[in-house]
Amino acid sequence: MKPVQGPMRYQPEQFEAHWQNVWEEKGAFRTPQDLATLQKKPKYYVLDMFPYPSGSGLHVGHPEGYTATDVVARHKRAQGFHVMHPMGWDAFGLPAERAAERENIHPAIITKRNIDNFRRQIKRLGFSYDWQREVSTTDETYYRWTQWIFLKLYEKDLAYLAEVPVNWCPALGTVLSNEEVKDGVYVETGDPVERRNMRQWMLKITAYAERLLDDLDLLDWPESVKDMQRHWIGKSHGAHVYFAIAGYQGRLDVFTTRPDTLFGATYCVLAPEHPLVQNITTEAQREAVNTYIRETNSKSDLARTDLAKSKSGVFTGAYALNPVNDTPIPIWVADYVLMGYGTGAIMAVPSHDERDNEFAKQYDLPIVRVVDDLGFLEHSDFLDGLGVEEAKIKIIEWLEFNKQGKGTVQYRLRDWLFSRQRYWGEPFPIVLLDDGTHVALPESALPVTLPPIDAYKPTETGEPPLARAGDAWLMVELPDGRRGIRETNTMPQWAGSCWYYLRYLDPHNTKAAVARDLEQYWMPVDLYIGGVEHAVLHLLYSRFWHKVLFDCGVVSTREPFQKLFNQGMILAYSYRDARGKYYGPDEVIEKDGLWFTHAGEPVATQSEKMSKSKLNVVNPDDVIDRYGADAMRLYELFMGPLDQVKPWQMTGVEGVYRFLQRVWRLVVNELTGEIVVGAGLAPPLLEKLLHRTIKKVHEDTELLRFNTAISQMMIFVNEATAHTPLPRSILDVFLRLLSPYAPHIAEELWSRLGFEGLCCAQDAPKFITSMCEDDTITIVFQVNGKRRADLVVEKGLDKAALEQLALSDPKVIKHLEGKPPKRVIVVPGKLVNIVC
RNA sequence: GCCGGGAUGGCGGAACGGUAGACGCUAGGGACUUAAAAUCCCUUGUCCGUAAGGGCGUGCGGGUUCGAGUCCCGCUCUCGGCACCA
């Protein structure tokens, strides 16, 4: 047959949308809601991380994880599971609010516009989501339950108002949580953050620190993500040590992980914000201390971090008394000690702590060694000669016995700053009373909906935007007659994404966040795929809420996400000239491996994160327009292992597109459109290859090794092409195998071949083990570990026979060079290695 | 600085301790075509050689093993994360 591309060639644009409509109309991916039906099959819950529908739409990085979960979802359905595979929108948040400000449109309208665009783009890929379960955090029917969960937190005393130093971001006009700030800037935008004291809502995540840490062991997560969480929680064992202060009544508590080095403490340091500073500073030092504190306060967090290279501090004039020997040691103030950790005060042991050492050298403070090179205590009285661990135990006993301190556990984790001074978020179901107290609204008052306001910015007096709402919204009369004003802060964006995986299970329930029996059937999430950027933020917050809900009896599992998998970022090639100016892919040409602008100027090429400023963003719409959704899906997965960072290459899309064309030609005559089906049986070798392919695709899909699964299907199609026309039995099996990966072409060819029903609704093909094995095998002959020959032999030859064959092989004889074999290693079915 | 990944052809990547480079791309050659596109076939790690064949090859240096991309020790580079947390 002449391989010509005819008029009836593979044209995905002619049928992809059609099949998407058919799936939707027939409810092919709708998951039953009725428990009796559900319980007839095992369940599988495969979840994508909740996308934020941004104004710029999707780029090709987004659908990587979505394609992976979709293949798994379709695969599991075909394996006989009820599959939960939903999609929705984490749609509260700043960008929509800023766009609203710019365009003077309500953020809800911006949000709807963005969601519509995201949904359209996602739907074009033919994912098997159950769209009847779509949720958006911004819907009243959704955030009603976010508020309800907040009430649970409030009831359990896990939500409280506190005057705390917060991360205030002037550019955003709001506070941020610790997790959102790094090096003094907001991690998302790089806007600087400063420290302020404000009265804010906090969630007591620290009360769950131990469980959040321990239960990580139950999870099938990447070890790196668990490590990041462990580090964030930052549990450390140590002791509080109480220092008396010369000439002052109060005492100074310090936290140390090295109580064993107490005899080496030569000074103490307080954080500049420490309340004792003002009390203990002597008159002689007061001015110097106040000056230092003023300087520190004026430094931004960023400057504090930058200046970390050199330490600074000032002497308070006061002396602490070392509890073990009453030695007076000076108390300093320095900003290398943080108020937010431990007690905000330390005992400095410059001999065994790098930071203290640097400080001591800078200010000429004494350094006393108390642990020798072998790790034994010295100059430490009753601790002398002990190892560090023994000494720790002994000194803690001593401190506790003498009431001079106690052994403690300290966490790095701090409570979660939970309020934001923005409009586009969930209002708190809280009323502030005249007397300064606050009360939670009853459940019947939910939802507290967002009122219309005239502008999405703070008031003249610096109050949050919600303070602009009229009295009708702001003023509340409680059932008992008391009057108050509504809380005008809103919840952070993380709130809605903390529990969305539960709402998908029962999205239209008006009586509960999720029905108990459905929750029990579906939870936990079996596979959760998303980017590593949420390793701490979302995944820690979400686990915390889940545990609270567990304690409330709302959920039945200790952890929400059993298996987590991080997809690697997709990069794209960018082109930059010597001056650093970027060029788009259309503006450059390749010549002998080097790249030039059309004007002939050389440009350097590198693969970088996609961004508008680098002119290297690839839009899935463009890819689908040219190659279709199936090619897009296949390429997303064929590029390489899912968890690896890898660059997008348009030529690679052409490769999988050509593969799909070959699949097409297995069934359709491109010139006439006729269906090409042969009579009789397939050649036995092709049949065997098919079974091996089923096996490999099945195994690789289970292990999320999609790239090698696709590669195996390519091998099959390359071979099958040589044997057209293929019998129906072969096509039947192969199309069902291909369907999870390239569902549109599978459906189209399935239908053209006149098979019953929808291809995506069929059972997965099964392989026969005996069919996966060859009758003959190739045995490799090695001489001294080097491959010298091979031989095709029957299966099942024993070691002696294989050894005989190897020793009589002419090439082997040649390489033995007449030397007698010293040793022969025979690996049946594989090789023979002759050592001489 | 600390904690994790990673390093294999021109490129993306394959390889239960057992034939390194599957599959795809790119490039070159050929077929088809008036021509081009598309498609199909062949070649494509590198060096020597007309060939047959052979040498060398998985970031670097050692080691274990009959045999190492794979395991161990010590480095280099690179990408993430954390970073005055006492």
Side-chain angles (χ1 to χ4, degrees):
Chain A
M1 187 180 82
K2 283 265 165 66
V4 174
Q5 195 172 56
M8 307 306 280
R9 67 186 182 274
Y10 172 57
Q11 289 168 297
E13 69 278 12
Q14 292 193 347
F15 57 78
E16 287 187 343
H18 166 73
W19 288 112
Q20 287 165 14
N21 290 334
V22 171
W23 295 330
E24 180 128 17
E25 281 160 21
K26 299 205 169 177
F29 310 123
R30 234 171 267 166
T31 311
Q33 195 64 357
D34 155 54
L35 203 66
T37 311
L38 285 171
Q39 279 167 344
K40 287 176 188 149
K41 290 188 192 178
K43 67 95 184 183
Y44 197 85
Y45 188 173
V46 50
L47 182 67
D48 292 297
M49 278 191 190
F50 215 21
Y52 175 76
S54 73
S56 44
L58 247 50
H59 62 66
V60 295
H62 292 100
E64 187 190 18
Y66 304 160
T67 308
T69 54
D70 193 61
V71 169
V72 172
R74 288 172 177 270
H75 167 78
K76 288 286 177 186
R77 256 182 230 113
Q79 300 286 338
F81 288 80
H82 279 309
V83 171
M84 177 61 62
H85 189 221
M87 178 49 78
W89 320 106
D90 185 17
F92 273 132
L94 262 173
E97 186 169 339
R98 291 175 133 186
E101 237 172 282
R102 256 194 328 271
E103 300 180 38
N104 201 26
I105 307 176
H106 194 278
I109 296 170
I110 310 264
T111 299
K112 182 178 183 313
R113 191 171 76 194
N114 292 348
I115 288 177
D116 286 345
N117 188 43
F118 253 65
R119 189 193 301 105
R120 178 192 63 78
Q121 285 190 296
I122 287 178
K123 282 198 169 186
R124 286 195 76 187
L125 280 141
F127 295 136
S128 61
Y129 294 120
D130 181 353
W131 285 104
Q132 295 196 330
R133 296 175 182 274
E134 178 180 351
V135 299
S136 169
T137 52
T138 54
D139 287 345
E140 289 172 21
T141 56
Y142 184 92
Y143 71 69
R144 175 211 154 105
W145 296 106
T146 309
Q147 291 170 336
W148 180 82
I149 296 170
F150 179 82
L151 290 181
K152 296 288 141 195
L153 287 153
Y154 186 87
E155 282 165 22
K156 294 181 90 71
D157 276 332
L158 294 166
Y160 61 97
L161 263 177
E163 176 88 14
V164 284
V166 297
N167 304 298
W168 171 261
C169 180
L172 270 48
T174 185
V175 298
L176 296 166
S177 76
N178 292 325
E179 289 78 6
E180 288 170 306
V181 177
K182 191 195 150 190
D183 293 339
V185 301
Y186 176 39
V187 289
E188 293 282 322
T189 60
D191 290 312
V193 167
E194 52 189 55
R195 189 175 303 275
R196 266 194 197 186
N197 280 316
M198 285 176 78
R199 199 166 149 81
Q200 293 291 307
W201 283 99
M202 307 289 292
L203 295 187
K204 213 179 279 174
I205 191 171
T206 51
Y208 282 71
E210 193 65 33
R211 285 162 69 186
L212 287 168
L213 185 66
D214 288 347
D215 289 351
L216 283 171
D217 295 338
L218 309 172
L219 301 175
D220 181 8
W221 284 20
E223 210 45 48
S224 59
V225 174
K226 290 195 200 178
D227 273 351
M228 279 189 236
Q229 294 219 346
R230 287 190 188 108
H231 180 255
W232 194 263
I233 295 166
K235 181 179 183 176
S236 52
H237 298 270
H240 280 197
V241 180
Y242 311 145
F243 285 74
I245 300 168
Y248 179 78
Q249 282 302 310
R251 82 181 189 210
L252 170 61
D253 284 13
V254 305
F255 172 72
T256 178
T257 54
R258 292 295 304 277
D260 56 304
T261 61
L262 184 51
F263 286 89
T266 53
Y267 64 102
C268 283
V269 185
L270 303 181
E273 301 86 354
H274 198 287
L276 269 183
V277 173
Q278 291 307 326
N279 301 336
I280 63 168
T281 300
T282 59
E283 283 313 310
Q285 288 300 102
R286 188 164 299 279
E287 198 181 323
V289 167
N290 285 342
T291 306
Y292 179 73
I293 291 173
R294 259 199 311 280
E295 273 170 20
T296 309
N297 282 345
S298 69
K299 279 186 210 166
S300 65
D301 275 19
L302 184 58
R304 267 194 176 189
T305 320
D306 276 357
L307 294 172
K309 275 85 199 161
S310 68
K311 295 201 175 4
S312 65
V314 62
F315 179 41
T316 61
Y319 288 85
L321 303 176
N322 192 331
V324 283
N325 53 17
D326 279 339
T327 311
I329 56 175
I331 303 175
W332 286 62
V333 173
D335 68 357
Y336 82 91
V337 172
L338 310 173
M339 192 58 221
Y341 182 76
T343 60
I346 62 157
M347 61 178 220
V349 185
S351 50
H352 303 288
D353 183 282
E354 248 182 73
R355 298 153 300 189
D356 297 343
N357 187 272
E358 192 193 328
F359 192 80
K361 282 184 177 154
Q362 193 167 330
Y363 292 101
D364 249 339
L365 292 156
I367 298 172
V368 177
R369 254 174 74 111
V370 288
V371 181
D372 68 21
D373 291 336
L374 298 169
F376 294 100
L377 275 284
E378 57 181 359
H379 311 306
S380 295
D381 196 344
F382 57 90
L383 298 178
D384 281 351
L386 295 176
V388 167
E389 290 312 313
E390 286 171 291
K392 278 184 187 172
I393 293 166
K394 187 145 187 190
I395 186 72
I396 287 172
E397 277 171 9
W398 187 93
L399 288 168
E400 289 179 351
F401 183 79
N402 292 288
K403 303 210 175 0
Q404 299 295 317
K406 60 173 200 272
T408 49
V409 165
Q410 188 70 45
Y411 297 93
R412 201 187 88 113
L413 182 70
R414 285 173 232 170
D415 277 345
W416 176 11
L417 179 70
F418 194 66
S419 40
R420 299 291 182 274
Q421 292 67 51
R422 304 303 314 184
Y423 173 76
W424 197 226
E426 298 87 349
F428 284 85
I430 291 286
V431 173
L432 307 172
L433 302 175
D434 295 340
D435 62 3
T437 62
H438 45 80
V439 289
L441 289 166
E443 210 181 308
S444 58
L446 301 184
V448 177
T449 56
L450 282 166
I453 55 172
D454 56 357
Y456 309 103
K457 55 184 181 192
T459 64
E460 310 303 321
T461 56
E463 285 186 83
L466 278 183
R468 294 172 175 275
D471 285 354
W473 186 83
L474 284 171
M475 300 302 177
V476 183
E477 186 174 332
L478 295 169
D480 61 12
R482 284 186 294 172
R483 302 179 66 86
I485 185 164
R486 286 186 198 275
E487 169 64 64
T488 53
N489 282 304
T490 51
M491 299 186 201
Q493 198 183 345
W494 308 107
S497 60
C498 270
W499 71 283
Y500 72 110
Y501 56 92
L502 294 171
R503 190 61 179 171
Y504 282 140
L505 308 180
D506 200 5
H508 308 294
N509 193 331
T510 55
K511 301 279 186 291
V514 57
R516 186 167 298 218
D517 52 2
L518 288 168
E519 185 278 328
Q520 281 170 356
Y521 175 78
W522 284 111
M523 286 301 286
V525 172
D526 296 283
L527 177 64
Y528 193 24
I529 296 187
V532 74
E533 65 272 19
H534 293 116
V536 173
L537 291 155
H538 157 64
L539 287 169
L540 193 65
Y541 295 150
S542 202
R543 293 180 61 222
F544 164 46
W545 277 36
H546 192 86
K547 288 184 182 305
V548 174
L549 292 173
F550 177 79
D551 292 347
C552 295
V554 176
V555 300
S556 57
T557 64
R558 284 159 73 179
E559 286 284 335
F561 313 119
Q562 187 51 42
K563 178 175 173 135
L564 174 74
F565 197 92
N566 294 124
Q567 87 250 14
M569 206 194 320
I570 294 187
L571 308 176
Y573 289 100
S574 62
Y575 307 91
R576 197 166 37 163
D577 68 18
R579 292 186 309 277
K581 178 180 183 318
Y582 278 99
Y583 296 85
D586 301 338
E587 301 173 287
V588 294
I589 49 167
E590 191 241 312
K591 217 182 270 174
D592 301 326
L594 298 171
W595 292 83
F596 301 90
T597 65
H598 290 304
E601 197 178 342
V603 286
T605 175
Q606 56 272 311
S607 55
E608 296 185 277
K609 189 173 174 175
M610 283 187 221
S611 87
K612 275 185 198 155
S613 62
K614 289 169 188 157
L615 302 173
N616 65 346
V617 175
V618 183
N619 183 337
D621 282 329
D622 298 337
V623 180
I624 296 172
D625 287 344
R626 258 172 89 183
Y627 303 104
D630 283 337
M632 171 87 193
R633 293 170 58 110
L634 281 182
Y635 182 64
E636 290 274 359
L637 300 177
F638 185 65
M639 292 172 82
L642 185 62
D643 56 356
Q644 228 163 77
V645 174
K646 43 209 178 288
W648 186 269
Q649 298 185 104
M650 232 15 139
T651 50
V653 186
E654 296 208 35
V656 294
Y657 178 66
R658 280 200 275 265
F659 162 69
L660 291 169
Q661 293 184 58
R662 287 198 294 277
V663 171
W664 183 260
R665 285 195 298 267
L666 290 180
V667 180
V668 179
N669 179 319
E670 289 189 320
L671 288 170
T672 64
E674 281 174 316
I675 299 303
V676 187
V677 185
L681 297 169
L685 282 176
L686 188 65
E687 188 83 36
K688 289 200 158 203
L689 179 59
L690 181 61
H691 279 270
R692 277 207 302 276
T693 302
I694 298 168
K695 182 166 189 274
K696 173 101 176 128
V697 170
H698 175 84
E699 290 169 355
D700 285 353
T701 304
E702 293 276 332
L703 295 168
L704 310 181
R705 301 201 311 203
F706 307 107
N707 55 327
T708 47
I710 293 168
S711 152
Q712 183 63 38
M713 289 191 276
M714 286 173 166
I715 292 170
F716 173 77
V717 169
N718 289 346
E719 184 62 28
T721 297
H723 295 284
T724 51
L726 298 169
R728 288 176 66 89
S729 59
I730 294 266
L731 294 169
D732 171 19
V733 170
F734 179 70
L735 291 178
R736 284 186 283 138
L737 188 64
L738 177 67
S739 178
Y741 286 82
H744 305 88
I745 190 174
E747 205 68 78
E748 175 72 14
L749 295 177
W750 183 264
S751 143
R752 289 198 184 209
L753 283 161
F755 289 122
E756 287 287 310
L758 288 172
C759 185
C760 66
Q762 306 304 311
D763 288 342
K766 293 191 169 54
F767 62 86
I768 300 167
T769 308
S770 63
M771 291 288 281
C772 296
E773 291 157 12
D774 276 321
D775 301 330
T776 59
I777 33 176
T778 304
I779 299 290
V780 169
F781 296 154
Q782 296 182 329
V783 177
N784 289 330
K786 286 195 177 174
R787 178 184 178 278
R788 293 301 179 187
D790 55 44
L791 189 66
V792 177
V793 301
E794 285 172 50
K795 257 181 18 184
L797 289 182
D798 64 13
K799 285 193 174 195
L802 289 170
E803 182 174 338
Q804 236 358 279
L805 284 168
L807 288 171
S808 52
D809 186 278
K811 284 182 187 156
V812 171
I813 291 164
K814 181 185 153 202
H815 284 278
L816 283 175
E817 294 166 339
K819 285 178 274 190
K822 276 190 222 153
R823 196 175 157 189
V824 181
I825 293 102
V826 182
V827 185
K830 289 274 184 191
L831 57 72
V832 180
N833 186 16
I834 299 158
V835 186
C836 66

